[in-house]
Amino acid sequence: MSFSKVIEYKSIKIVYTNIVGTAGSEAVPTFDKVQKLVAEFPDHSVLSCVNATNARFNTELLSKIKETVKKNNPKAKATVVCGLNKLSSLILNSIIAATGRQMKLFDTEEEGFEWLYEYEMKTTGVVG
């Protein structure tokens, strides 16, 4: 079952979205929740991680992801997406190009969390 919530990793807050193993439309309500969560944050402050390991995408889900990325752009500081296969990575890269959103792709959630932590430390001037 997919979900989204705010988690803490090494003292930073991350909007964490887990769509592991979902099939297409199953994850759509989770991205509605992501939009509501992110709306509560100040502009340019949200660190987010999406774990999409073994997720399957369909037209409805891709449309919802594009909508979410565009809507959340003003709030976003950095986003990582983890666990995509080669085809899903190509699809996400097309979304990134269409929306202008800066995102990094990682194989594992841990790599993504660590990159977000290091990015936050660099951008806030805190030595990590």
Side-chain angles (χ1 to χ4, degrees):
M1 185 172 156
S2 63
F3 63 89
S4 185
K5 64 182 180 179
V6 178
I7 63 168
E8 197 165 301
Y9 177 82
K10 292 185 178 181
S11 78
I12 63 168
K13 290 190 182 331
I14 297 171
V15 174
Y16 175 67
T17 304
N18 182 314
I19 60 168
V20 172
T22 57
S25 304
E26 285 178 59
V28 168
T30 300
F31 285 96
D32 287 330
K33 183 173 183 187
V34 169
Q35 290 180 21
K36 289 177 183 158
L37 273 174
V38 168
E40 299 172 10
F41 285 81
D43 286 356
H44 310 294
S45 70
V46 176
L47 302 172
S48 62
C49 174
V50 178
N51 186 340
T53 303
N54 297 322
R56 292 180 305 283
F57 299 88
N58 67 7
T59 306
E60 182 185 9
L61 178 56
L62 290 172
S63 178
K64 179 55 75 171
I65 291 170
K66 286 178 192 173
E67 171 193 311
T68 301
V69 169
K70 284 180 182 177
K71 186 171 185 177
N72 291 348
N73 254 349
K75 304 289 185 177
K77 184 171 186 178
T79 300
V80 297
V81 181
C82 310
L84 293 176
N85 62 32
K86 298 242 185 274
L87 177 59
S88 298
S89 293
L90 289 172
I91 293 168
L92 182 64
N93 281 325
S94 73
I95 292 172
I96 292 168
T99 61
R101 178 80 159 266
Q102 295 292 76
M103 294 186 193
K104 300 275 284 173
L105 306 180
F106 292 94
D107 290 332
T108 69
E109 186 177 276
E110 187 63 31
E111 290 171 319
F113 287 158
E114 193 59 30
W115 185 87
L116 286 171
Y117 174 77
E118 290 172 11
Y119 181 83
E120 181 68 1
M121 295 302 102
K122 286 178 195 167
T123 59
T124 59
V126 175
V127 176

